[in-house]
Amino acid sequence: MGQALQRAAQWTSAKGGSGGKLEFTKLNEELLNSIIQYVDGFSAKYAEESKLVFKKPLIWPTTVSPDAINIPGLEDRGGDKISEAKADKDIPLFSIKRDGSDFECSAMTMDYCEQVLRASGDKKMSEIRACLEANRDPVANMLGERFATVEGDDNSIFRFIEEITKEIEQLAKQHAENEGNTEKQEEIEEKKLVLKMRLILLRLDQQLLNQSIAQITKDVRLNPVMVDGEVTILQDLSGDDERKHVLELIDFWGDGYVFKNGCRAPPQRQLHGDIAYIEVRPFDGNMLYITANTSGYYVNKGPDNRGDMNYEREGDAYRELVTLLKDKSPHFTEMIDKQEFQLKVQEKDDYMDARRVEEDEDDGESTAGYRPDRFKQKAEEDSKDKGQKQKSQKKKKLEPSLKWKALGMEEYQEPDKRDAKILKKKKASPRMKSKTPVEAEDSFSESSTESEEEEEAVERRSETNADLPSEYWQIQKLVKYLKGGNQTATIIALCSMRDFNLAQETCQLAIRDVGGLEVLINLLDTEEVKCKIGSLKILKEISRNTQIRRAIADLGGLQTMVKILRDPDKDLKCLAAETIANVAKFRRARRTVRQHGGIRKLVGLLDCPIVSATNPEADKDAEVARSGALALWSCSKSKKNKEAMRKAGAIPLLAKLLKSPNENMLIPVVGTLQECASEPSYRLAIRTEGMIEDLVKNLKSQNDELQMHCASAIFKCAEEKETRDLVRQYGGLDPLVSLLQKIENKELLAAATGAIWKCAISPENVTRFQELRAIEQLVGLLNDQPEEVLVNVVGGLGELAKDPPNRLLIRKAGGIPPLVNLLTGTNQALLVNVTRAVGQCAEEQDNMAIIDKLDGVRLLWSLLKNQNPDVQASAAWAICPCIENAKDAGEMVRSFVGGLELIVSLLKSEHREVLASVCAAIANIAKDEENLAVITDHGVVPMLARLTNTYAWKGGRFQSKVDDKLRRHLAEAIARCCNWGNNRTAFGREGAVAPLVKYLRSQDENVHRSTARALYQLSKNPENCITMHEAGVVQPLMKMVGSLDEDLQEASAGCIGNIRRLALANEKARYS
């Protein structure tokens, strides 16, 4: 019963410290009915088991009154009923007591549970629901914690049977020795009864699970693609014309962010199956807020006054969105049947095809996001297909199979001579036939961003055979011996082949061209260990070639190597793992390893003891573990492989291997860890498993590659404050700074500077970096370094510059000019970090003078035109301190041609960080009266007024907690803009006053301060005072008058004073 409640039953989320409740769904109703039928009549079927006393009582709030319980052996104690029979510790086997206005029932046998259920009459469903909600794991209460419901395999029954068997054997032995033990005999009988009871409950569990599976299979589960498809189709059919369109509006509710899995719901709601939230405005009704859940569509209660979505369900769930809308809107029902869907569905399918190519199909690995070249390529293919159809109307054009595309067999076109040769060679070669079929999804969509090794190498072939070296022909002869010789000849041919320089491309391609790869892979299926070892040694060497490794994957070699990982021969396992490490450099190979169980087997290779003494057996075990780590390192570039590794138990094994003194072992282990550290679960494990100390220790190694991987792992893990503190506590900051001296090794330099950047986020680490004179060294790296290094160097300087003394050190080290020069670059990540660093440096007036002299403010302003919102936002944030600390800020800003118009136009952006930064910049610009007049002419007032609707939740574009920063700077900008002309009146006319009052509900005191200032300025207009008063501004302002913040006090009191003066003037005018 425990597994059914945990896995099949549908629970609500826990609120207010209480556990979740069983949802009112059809599946839960059927499960509860089955449990009721099982309990009702239990004592008749299992008389002995029904008397079994539970380990802990089942306690729940009951609807049954004590008067309704008529069971022999109960005592009436002041309206409560308690059984005379007691369990251990004098706990009654049954009791029903008053708990406030309700009753609480406690039962310790199935017999009493059955009696209560019978007494509940027609409320059996409510009674069993209350019992299960109060006892989420009833089996643990009934039979003890050893039978508690667990994830994965449950071996508790088998262990219990073994325990009973041993006790019976001991008892039989005592009887043989004439030492009878009656108590032991009774204990065994009781355990047998517990076992029978557990088997009965297990049978019920299985019945409930089967029933739930049957119910679930009847329901169609929604997914993000289906939801997007339905909404997009209905959007095409929506509009303002009631006579033509089915809906006035349909759109997704929320901030518009789409997660990698395609869901738009917050992560905490995705756990409950929510995919997205849809807002629909029909022509004949109010706005509907609809939840798209995996179980179907249903109406929710919509956003509350604060803008937070109330996810509570209202009404039934529907399989299709159209069905739900038909039930809610007669106009929709009438119009939807008149629509023509065929063309629109076809367009959607075409779009989804293009999208399917563009997205990560399987691994979920990071790509470059939106890639218009994919869509452009598809458009060109579509136009080409159209042209071919026009030329030939007799036949329908046939597309090549995706499996052939994976093998490089492209559609035939008019070839030139060179293309004809390549096509002919591909056609003539039978080696590309794969042992196992490749799924359509697995045969394309290779990521171009994972590593440079994934790109197809250009096939270099000599045009004439005369240019080929003699080794080429000799290897081809040896391959013939491999094909036709006996076992001895095969081994000799393999040994002879290894004598060649297999690292040379000519030798590698010679093996491939004559069909040697098929023979080598087929040898792996033989029973002869020597043949397998020889074949793997050759495959390990030649698989470093990009073309060879793809050919090995196409021929099914990876599947065979994964099987070899189970072989008892350790040399075979080592060679197979190392070959997998070479081949798994591209996505399809990594996917193949995972799908054939290779990840679990590779993780198993890591399990070897770490011994200081050397002996041949221990060395061989260590070599097996090293080979497994190498293969996992290659496979860990896939997000799904990382998850598979974690589930297979790789983390504790990697932590153990990290303590090895062998550098050859440490490099692949740390390489795997730093690759996996991009996932939060791994970062947490690295910290909690004590691996940070080992990473810091290995930073002091003399091996540059090991140092680089350790620094890279710290770089990724230092996102969390706890990790940054551990790095400092274990003395990791000193070796990181010392690595800055190795300027020749750019990879090591990039990793070290990245780790310093992230560690510098903690102020305690900044103090240590000051002592180590890290700033001077970082400034020295601002010139003549690759962008990968510069991004991290500038990021580190930006974090260090948050401490005022460090800004002076950066200036003295000559860091301002190179930072300003980097503002002219094109690397987006570098621009984001540079603008942040320049903005931090501009907080110092002497630094600002240098920045202004180098024309740095103009460069920052020009970056507002950048298409990247992150660059726009960071540039706008950097402009704020520049305006604050410039000598003649007003004149400087006016000198930028079109600069004020540009920054006002950014208020149309849909990115919250851009809006917040631009509002902060406008608040600083508006300090100058002439600039304020200019931006007013550019329409800043209506744009700011439009943004005040962050609490009105029109379309649900903003989330309250996320936007406190925006609200703060928006209110500050409005307060400053009120100081010109009729702007106060204009803000009131544009509807900005009432939404501002709602900002006072925020929990952020900075929002309160800036909002109070804005309201004080707006309250100088009588009409605005009336609007504020109607919006309920007085009560929250009265509380803020008592704040410890003097600015907040003054602004709040001033606003209340203006409202009061207006009220007194009205009163005076009325009676005069």
Side-chain angles (χ1 to χ4, degrees):
M1 188 159 60
Q3 292 289 349
L5 289 176
Q6 186 181 75
R7 297 175 182 272
Q10 297 168 338
W11 297 84
T12 63
S13 58
K15 290 184 179 180
S18 63
K21 304 293 184 183
L22 283 166
E23 292 184 354
F24 290 89
T25 62
K26 186 176 181 181
L27 176 60
N28 283 353
E29 185 178 352
E30 293 198 4
L31 290 177
L32 292 175
N33 279 325
S34 298
I35 295 173
I36 290 170
Q37 293 174 8
Y38 201 82
V39 175
D40 199 3
F42 185 88
S43 57
K45 293 181 184 177
Y46 310 105
E48 194 175 0
E49 288 80 1
S50 66
K51 305 294 183 184
L52 178 67
V53 178
F54 300 160
K55 298 296 182 183
K56 292 195 298 186
L58 295 178
I59 303 172
W60 70 93
T62 180
T63 58
V64 179
S65 67
D67 297 334
I69 302 293
N70 297 312
I71 305 174
L74 295 185
E75 297 179 1
D76 194 341
R77 298 184 184 177
D80 299 341
K81 287 195 175 181
I82 301 174
S83 67
E84 297 174 355
K86 301 284 194 298
D88 295 339
K89 301 179 182 178
D90 291 333
I91 300 174
L93 294 183
F94 177 79
S95 67
I96 182 165
K97 302 178 181 178
R98 180 173 291 279
D99 183 16
S101 59
D102 299 321
F103 295 98
E104 184 181 78
C105 184
S106 171
M108 292 194 70
T109 67
M110 281 295 292
D111 187 30
Y112 283 119
C113 291
E114 184 181 356
Q115 296 290 348
V116 173
L117 194 62
R118 287 178 180 173
S120 62
D122 57 353
K123 295 184 179 179
K124 290 181 180 179
M125 181 74 75
S126 301
E127 196 69 24
I128 204 75
R129 178 189 295 273
C131 179
L132 294 177
E133 287 174 349
N135 304 275
R136 289 288 289 266
D137 192 359
V139 177
N141 287 31
M142 296 161 72
L143 304 180
E145 292 296 334
R146 70 185 302 161
F147 294 108
T149 305
V150 296
E151 291 287 341
D153 295 336
D154 185 0
N155 298 320
S156 57
I157 294 179
F158 301 108
R159 291 195 298 269
F160 195 57
I161 291 172
E162 289 177 2
E163 183 179 320
I164 295 173
T165 305
K166 288 180 181 178
E167 290 182 2
I168 291 173
E169 291 175 355
Q170 290 176 0
L171 189 63
K173 187 176 181 181
Q174 290 176 0
H175 276 298
E177 296 173 357
N178 297 320
E179 296 178 4
N181 191 336
T182 308
E183 292 181 2
K184 193 69 174 177
Q185 180 69 36
E186 292 176 355
E187 184 180 342
I188 291 173
E189 291 301 324
E190 183 182 354
K191 285 187 176 182
K192 286 182 179 180
L193 196 61
V194 169
L195 179 60
K196 288 174 68 177
M197 186 69 170
R198 180 63 184 117
L199 292 173
I200 292 169
L201 292 174
L202 195 63
R203 192 183 312 146
L204 172 61
D205 217 8
Q206 191 66 42
Q207 177 186 332
L208 294 176
L209 286 172
N210 291 337
Q211 182 179 338
S212 62
I213 290 170
Q215 178 64 34
I216 290 169
T217 51
K218 295 178 184 177
D219 299 331
V220 177
R221 311 294 285 180
L222 289 181
N223 60 54
V225 175
M226 295 167 64
V227 174
D228 285 352
E230 289 199 59
V231 172
T232 304
I233 291 172
L234 290 176
Q235 282 176 335
D236 292 339
L237 302 175
S238 301
D240 299 329
D241 193 342
E242 188 172 352
R243 293 171 299 175
K244 294 181 181 179
H245 298 118
V246 297
L247 296 168
E248 185 178 350
L249 169 71
I250 179 169
D251 201 356
F252 288 106
W253 184 93
D255 60 359
Y257 184 77
V258 182
F259 292 87
K260 287 185 178 180
N261 60 3
C263 293
R264 300 169 186 266
Q268 67 271 20
R269 292 301 306 174
Q270 290 183 34
L271 296 175
H272 300 279
D274 288 2
I275 297 171
Y277 307 104
I278 306 164
E279 54 178 356
V280 179
R281 184 182 294 123
F283 286 104
D284 54 353
N286 297 325
M287 180 76 82
L288 297 174
Y289 293 92
I290 298 170
T291 299
N293 191 280
T294 53
S295 60
Y297 297 94
Y298 59 83
V299 176
N300 60 49
K301 290 194 173 181
D304 56 20
N305 294 332
R306 296 183 304 168
D308 295 328
M309 175 62 77
N310 187 340
Y311 303 107
E312 187 174 344
R313 174 173 164 179
E314 290 186 336
D316 298 330
Y318 299 79
R319 291 189 181 183
E320 298 89 15
L321 181 57
V322 171
T323 309
L324 186 152
L325 293 174
K326 280 184 176 181
D327 195 36
K328 301 294 181 183
S329 169
H331 176 269
F332 178 85
T333 305
E334 178 185 351
M335 296 300 296
I336 196 69
D337 295 330
K338 300 178 182 179
Q339 303 298 322
E340 293 292 337
F341 282 99
Q342 179 129 11
L343 180 60
K344 297 182 182 297
V345 173
Q346 184 62 41
E347 291 172 355
K348 177 67 181 174
D349 290 342
D350 292 344
Y351 165 74
M352 292 308 296
D353 287 343
R355 182 177 175 183
R356 205 172 286 122
V357 173
E358 186 252 342
E359 287 178 345
D360 264 341
E361 289 289 338
D362 182 80
D363 284 355
E365 299 170 62
S366 59
T367 61
Y370 174 73
R371 299 182 62 189
D373 55 319
R374 299 259 189 178
F375 291 96
K376 182 178 178 182
Q377 179 182 359
K378 178 168 177 60
E380 291 173 356
E381 290 174 0
D382 290 343
S383 62
K384 182 174 66 176
D385 293 348
K386 186 176 179 182
Q388 291 181 353
K389 286 180 181 179
Q390 290 173 351
K391 290 179 182 179
S392 174
Q393 298 292 336
K394 295 180 181 179
K395 290 184 179 180
K396 182 181 177 181
K397 180 182 170 187
L398 298 176
E399 290 287 340
S401 166
L402 291 174
K403 297 178 183 178
W404 289 106
K405 284 184 179 180
L407 303 183
M409 302 298 286
E410 299 297 337
E411 183 181 358
Y412 180 81
Q413 297 177 352
E414 288 290 332
D416 56 18
K417 292 182 179 179
R418 181 175 176 277
D419 291 336
K421 289 180 180 179
I422 294 175
L423 198 63
K424 184 177 179 181
K425 287 175 182 176
K426 286 183 178 180
K427 185 177 179 182
S429 175
R431 69 180 184 279
M432 301 302 287
K433 293 182 180 178
S434 176
K435 280 187 177 182
T436 57
V438 183
E439 295 180 6
E441 279 190 4
D442 292 350
S443 59
F444 68 108
S445 186
E446 292 294 328
S447 171
S448 61
T449 60
E450 287 178 21
S451 69
E452 66 279 357
E453 294 173 314
E454 296 204 15
E455 297 178 5
E456 287 279 6
V458 178
E459 189 170 356
R460 294 185 292 273
R461 290 296 191 86
S462 302
E463 292 296 328
T464 60
N465 292 338
D467 296 334
L468 294 173
S470 59
E471 290 89 346
Y472 186 90
W473 307 112
Q474 293 172 9
I475 287 176
Q476 289 202 348
K477 290 180 181 178
L478 289 174
V479 172
K480 291 178 182 178
Y481 287 118
L482 280 178
K483 290 180 178 180
N486 56 22
Q487 180 179 328
T488 306
T490 299
I491 295 173
I492 293 172
L494 290 171
C495 295
S496 302
M497 198 177 292
R498 289 204 62 221
D499 291 338
F500 289 93
N501 182 11
L502 295 178
Q504 188 177 348
E505 188 178 23
T506 305
C507 298
Q508 296 167 351
L509 296 179
I511 296 173
R512 187 196 68 175
D513 292 344
V514 77
L517 284 179
E518 293 94 324
V519 181
L520 292 173
I521 291 172
N522 287 337
L523 286 175
L524 300 181
D525 288 325
T526 64
E527 299 297 327
E528 181 55 44
V529 175
K530 292 181 180 179
C531 289
K532 289 198 219 179
I533 290 176
S535 176
L536 281 172
K537 285 183 176 180
I538 295 171
L539 287 171
K540 185 184 82 168
E541 294 297 326
I542 65 176
S543 59
R544 293 186 173 91
N545 182 294
T546 306
Q547 300 172 46
I548 298 293
R549 69 170 69 113
R550 289 185 178 274
I552 291 172
D554 293 335
L555 292 167
L558 280 170
Q559 292 89 319
T560 307
M561 292 178 208
V562 167
K563 292 178 184 176
I564 292 176
L565 295 176
R566 295 182 300 186
D567 198 285
D569 191 289
K570 294 179 181 179
D571 291 332
L572 268 178
K573 288 195 284 191
C574 281
L575 290 168
E578 289 180 15
T579 310
I580 290 173
N582 289 339
V583 177
K585 294 290 176 66
F586 62 101
R587 175 178 302 173
R588 183 159 49 86
R590 291 193 286 271
R591 186 185 304 130
T592 301
V593 173
R594 182 182 71 249
Q595 290 175 343
H596 289 82
I599 299 296
R600 181 168 39 81
K601 294 170 187 172
L602 288 170
V603 169
L605 299 184
L606 301 180
D607 193 6
C608 80
I610 301 298
V611 292
S612 55
T614 58
N615 61 76
E617 194 63 28
D619 291 346
K620 193 166 284 188
D621 289 336
E623 186 61 24
V624 171
R626 188 192 72 85
S627 303
L630 273 173
L632 289 173
W633 187 4
S634 295
C635 293
S636 62
K637 289 181 174 62
S638 158
K639 185 174 182 179
K640 287 195 174 181
N641 283 358
K642 292 173 190 174
E643 182 64 17
M645 289 163 55
R646 186 185 65 79
K647 290 181 177 178
I651 293 175
L653 295 175
L654 289 170
K656 185 173 72 171
L657 293 177
L658 194 56
K659 300 184 181 298
S660 170
N662 185 356
E663 286 186 354
N664 291 330
M665 170 75 79
L666 288 172
I667 288 173
V669 170
V670 179
T672 305
L673 286 172
Q674 68 89 13
E675 196 68 54
C676 294
S678 57
E679 296 299 314
S681 57
Y682 275 90
R683 292 200 293 269
L684 175 65
I686 288 172
R687 185 175 77 244
T688 55
E689 292 282 342
M691 288 187 255
I692 297 296
E693 182 179 7
D694 296 313
L695 290 173
V696 169
K697 182 181 73 173
N698 290 319
L699 271 178
K700 302 170 186 176
S701 166
Q702 299 303 312
N703 188 305
D704 285 0
E705 187 179 2
L706 179 57
Q707 288 178 320
M708 185 262 290
H709 292 310
C710 289
S712 181
I714 292 173
F715 175 24
K716 293 178 180 178
C717 292
E719 296 285 347
E720 287 85 15
K721 182 182 184 302
E722 296 84 353
T723 301
R724 297 194 291 271
D725 293 341
L726 288 174
V727 172
R728 181 184 69 255
Q729 291 167 12
Y730 292 128
L733 303 182
D734 298 47
L736 282 175
V737 174
S738 66
L739 291 178
L740 299 180
Q741 304 294 330
K742 300 186 177 183
I743 57 176
E744 300 83 7
N745 190 333
K746 303 303 180 186
E747 289 184 344
L748 176 57
L749 199 59
T753 51
I756 290 172
W757 169 20
K758 295 301 180 183
C759 289
I761 297 174
S762 294
E764 301 86 353
N765 292 347
V766 172
T767 305
R768 182 57 184 162
F769 283 133
Q770 289 173 343
E771 297 170 358
L772 296 171
R773 302 181 65 83
I775 291 177
E776 291 82 351
Q777 297 185 56
L778 288 173
V779 169
L781 296 173
L782 287 174
N783 298 306
D784 302 324
Q785 295 296 337
E787 289 182 341
E788 292 79 8
V789 176
L790 287 173
V791 168
N792 297 338
V793 169
V794 176
L797 287 172
E799 292 297 333
L800 292 167
K802 291 180 180 178
D803 192 18
N806 289 342
R807 299 169 192 155
L808 174 63
L809 292 176
I810 292 174
R811 185 179 77 247
K812 287 184 176 180
I816 304 295
L819 282 174
V820 173
N821 289 337
L822 290 173
L823 290 172
T824 60
T826 57
N827 184 298
Q828 303 296 297
L830 179 58
L831 286 175
V832 170
N833 284 356
V834 169
T835 48
R836 287 176 183 166
V838 171
Q840 290 295 332
C841 291
E843 298 282 355
E844 186 86 17
Q845 287 193 350
D846 293 337
N847 290 353
M848 180 56 216
I850 300 174
I851 293 170
D852 191 17
K853 184 178 179 181
L854 295 170
D855 214 10
V857 183
R858 183 185 62 79
L859 292 173
L860 284 172
W861 217 286
S862 66
L863 288 176
L864 295 175
K865 300 177 184 178
N866 196 290
Q867 298 301 310
N868 189 327
D870 294 333
V871 176
Q872 290 176 340
S874 58
W877 286 122
I879 286 171
C880 295
C882 292
I883 296 174
E884 290 177 4
N885 296 300
K887 287 186 178 179
D888 190 359
E891 183 60 35
M892 177 189 71
V893 171
R894 285 191 297 277
S895 67
F896 303 136
V897 178
L900 291 173
E901 183 179 3
L902 170 63
I903 202 161
V904 171
S905 69
L906 286 177
L907 289 174
K908 299 176 183 177
S909 173
E910 295 191 359
H911 296 272
R912 294 191 298 277
E913 192 70 20
V914 174
L915 291 172
S917 60
V918 170
C919 287
I922 287 175
N924 284 285
I925 292 169
K927 292 177 182 177
D928 183 88
E929 193 173 81
E930 291 184 39
N931 290 339
L932 176 55
V934 174
I935 63 175
T936 300
D937 292 339
H938 286 310
V940 73
V941 171
M943 290 186 183
L944 290 175
R946 180 179 63 85
L947 291 177
T948 56
N949 291 320
T950 51
Y951 255 113
W953 294 85
K954 292 182 180 178
R957 293 177 56 200
F958 298 97
Q959 294 181 6
S960 56
K961 292 182 180 178
V962 178
D963 290 314
D964 274 344
K965 185 194 290 188
L966 171 57
R967 295 189 179 94
R968 170 190 171 188
H969 294 290
L970 174 58
E972 194 68 41
I974 291 174
R976 294 277 167 76
C977 289
C978 283
N979 294 321
W980 176 257
N982 295 323
N983 283 0
R984 294 187 184 93
T985 306
F987 276 121
R989 187 171 58 251
E990 294 289 340
V993 178
L996 273 175
V997 174
K998 296 180 181 179
Y999 287 14
L1000 297 176
R1001 300 176 186 174
S1002 170
Q1003 302 299 315
D1004 190 344
E1005 191 166 326
N1006 292 320
V1007 177
H1008 296 165
R1009 188 186 310 109
S1010 58
T1011 303
R1013 287 175 184 164
L1015 291 171
Y1016 169 63
Q1017 291 294 334
L1018 291 168
S1019 67
K1020 294 178 181 179
N1021 178 271
E1023 293 182 3
N1024 291 344
C1025 285
I1026 296 171
T1027 306
M1028 289 179 201
H1029 190 271
E1030 291 175 349
V1033 75
V1034 175
Q1035 187 175 359
L1037 285 180
M1038 289 294 290
K1039 294 180 181 177
M1040 292 175 189
V1041 168
S1043 170
L1044 298 176
D1045 189 309
E1046 293 183 2
D1047 291 339
L1048 179 56
Q1049 282 182 359
E1050 185 178 350
S1052 301
C1055 184
I1056 294 172
N1058 288 337
I1059 295 172
R1060 183 60 182 156
R1061 276 190 286 273
L1062 177 63
L1064 289 173
N1066 287 337
E1067 191 109 5
K1068 185 176 180 180
R1070 183 185 302 173
Y1071 293 106
S1072 61

